[in-house]
Amino acid sequence: HGTSTKGYGKIDGEYAHRVFYRRYKGEIPDGMVIDHLCANRLCVNPCHLEPVSDSENKRRCNDMRFGRRSPLYPICSTKQPH
C-alpha cells in the first residue's frame, strides 16, 4: 500500500481507485479510465468514480484546473480517502 508519484493510492502495485471500482461496480470497460468525480486522487468511494474515455478525463481535469468543473460533482470535504 502507499501512493504513486502522482498522488494516487496504490494497493499491491495497482491504483486503489481501479481496485475499488472493480470490486463494487464491476469491470472497467475496455479503453476507459476511472475519473474521480470529487477530484480527490486518494478517494476510493465507488460513488465518486466513473469510467470515461482518456480524452474526457483530460477535459474534465482541465475544466477543474480552470474552475469550470460542475458543482454537481461530489466533494470529499476532508480530502481523505473513503
Side-chain angles (χ1 to χ4, degrees):
H1 302 341
T3 57
S4 73
T5 57
K6 293 184 177 183
Y8 294 97
K10 303 250 343 211
I11 297 175
D12 297 328
E14 186 175 0
Y15 288 126
H17 60 284
R18 295 177 65 83
V19 171
F20 274 76
Y21 183 89
R22 283 196 310 273
R23 184 177 295 159
Y24 294 101
K25 293 207 168 184
E27 288 301 313
I28 300 166
D30 288 341
M32 303 295 253
V33 298
I34 299 299
D35 182 26
H36 289 86
L37 297 175
C38 59
N40 177 0
R41 291 179 177 183
L42 290 175
C43 180
V44 294
N45 181 337
C47 295
H48 294 188
L49 305 174
E50 179 180 37
V52 296
S53 68
D54 188 54
S55 61
E56 176 64 13
N57 193 43
K58 288 175 181 170
R59 184 191 67 76
R60 289 178 179 184
C61 182
N62 284 334
D63 284 353
M64 181 65 134
R65 199 172 317 149
F66 295 107
R68 295 186 302 250
R69 189 105 180 197
S70 170
L72 300 177
Y73 287 130
I75 295 172
C76 290
S77 59
T78 62
K79 290 293 182 184
Q80 298 295 315
H82 288 88

